[in-house]
Amino acid sequence: MAIFWTMAFPFMVAGNLSRPWWFIGLGWGFDIATHTSLTLIIVYVLFPAFLFTQRYWLLFFSVMGTMLFFGLLDRLGTGWLYHAEQPFRWFGVLNTVANMAPQTGFLVAVLTGKQVFETQQRLLRAEKERTEAELRHLKAQIDPHFLFNNLNVLDTLIQRNPAEASAYLHRFAGLYRYLIRHKDDDVVPLADELAFVDDYVYLIRQRFGRAYEVLTHLHLPDPMTVFVLPGSIQTLIENAVKHNGGSETDPLCITLTVTDQAVTVSNERRPKLTPVDATGTGLKNLQARYRLLSDREVLIQSTPGEALPGEASPGAFVVTLPVLKQEKTMPRYDYRNS
C-alpha cells in the first residue's frame, strides 16, 4: 500500500501544480485516509464476517453501503478542502464511488492476495509441523526401551502366573492398538484417553509395584463430550515416572484432575539419583500439537514446595492440558475388544 500511494503522489501533484505544497500534502493525506480505511474495512471486517461464511448477499450489500458512505465522506471532504459550494446530489456521490472503485479494488485485490498467500504458507507450515509432531510422538510411544522392559515383565509373569500374564498381554496389546487406530486423529474423546491411561498405569504398576500411584479426580459428568490429543495424558504420566523416583514405602503420587475445561497432571519433584537424559522434546511436542488445534496453551508450572527444616524443597511439577470441544460427539470405540 505504501508503494501504491507513493506511485500515486506524482499524479496528484501534476493535477495541482498551481496550489501550495501544504494543500497538495493535505489532499494526498485525505485520499490516503479515505481509500485506505475503506480497503481495510472491506478486507479485514466485511470479508471475514460474510465472505468466509458464504453469506454473499450480505457481503454485497455491506460493501455497497460502505462504499456509499465513504463516497459521501470523500465528496464532503473534497468540497470542504476545495471550498466548493455545490448542491448535494446523489448522482455526484455515485460518481465519486465510481472514481474510488478502481483504486480501492486494486488495494483490496493486493491485500486479499497477500492474505491468501500467507494463509497457504501457514497451512503448509502447520501441516509440516503436524507431520513432524506425529512422527516424534509415534517414535516416543514405540520406544525400544519401553517395549524391552514390558517384554521382560511379560516373560516373568508367564513363568510365575500365566493367567496374569494373559491379562498383562491384553493390556499391552491394547496400548499399541489404541496408538495405531488414532495415529491419524487430531483429537480423541477424553473417555477413550482415560481408558488408555488406565492400561498404561496397569503396566507401570506391574513393573514398579506401588512405587507410583496415579490418583484420578473426575469432575466431569460425561468424558465423551470433551476431547484431548491422543496420548497426551499418557505422555505426562510417562514424563513423571521417567524423571522422578518412587518406592513401595514412599510412592510418588501423580494426581490427575479432570474438569470440563482442563486436565491437570501434577506430581512432587523427586529427581532420580541416576541422571535421566532429558531433551524436553516430549512437552515441546505436546505444546506444538496443541497450538495447531487450539488457541489455548499447554501450561507448564514448576513450583517450590514446603520442606521440613534442614531439607531441600522438592517442589511440584504441574502441567495443564486444555480440553477441546466439538459440536458433535464422536462415537465411543472400544479398542480393547477390537
Side-chain angles (χ1 to χ4, degrees), residues 294-310:
S294 171
D295 56 354
R296 299 171 62 190
E297 290 285 339
V298 176
L299 301 180
I300 301 175
Q301 298 172 297
S302 183
T303 59
E306 297 181 359
L308 296 175

Side-chain angles (χ1 to χ4, degrees), residues 171 190-200 332 335-336:
R171 299 267 192 147
L190 177 59
D192 288 354
E193 180 71 8
L194 291 177
F196 171 63
V197 168
D198 183 58
D199 283 346
Y200 181 76
R332 181 66 184 273
Y335 65 90
R336 293 176 179 171

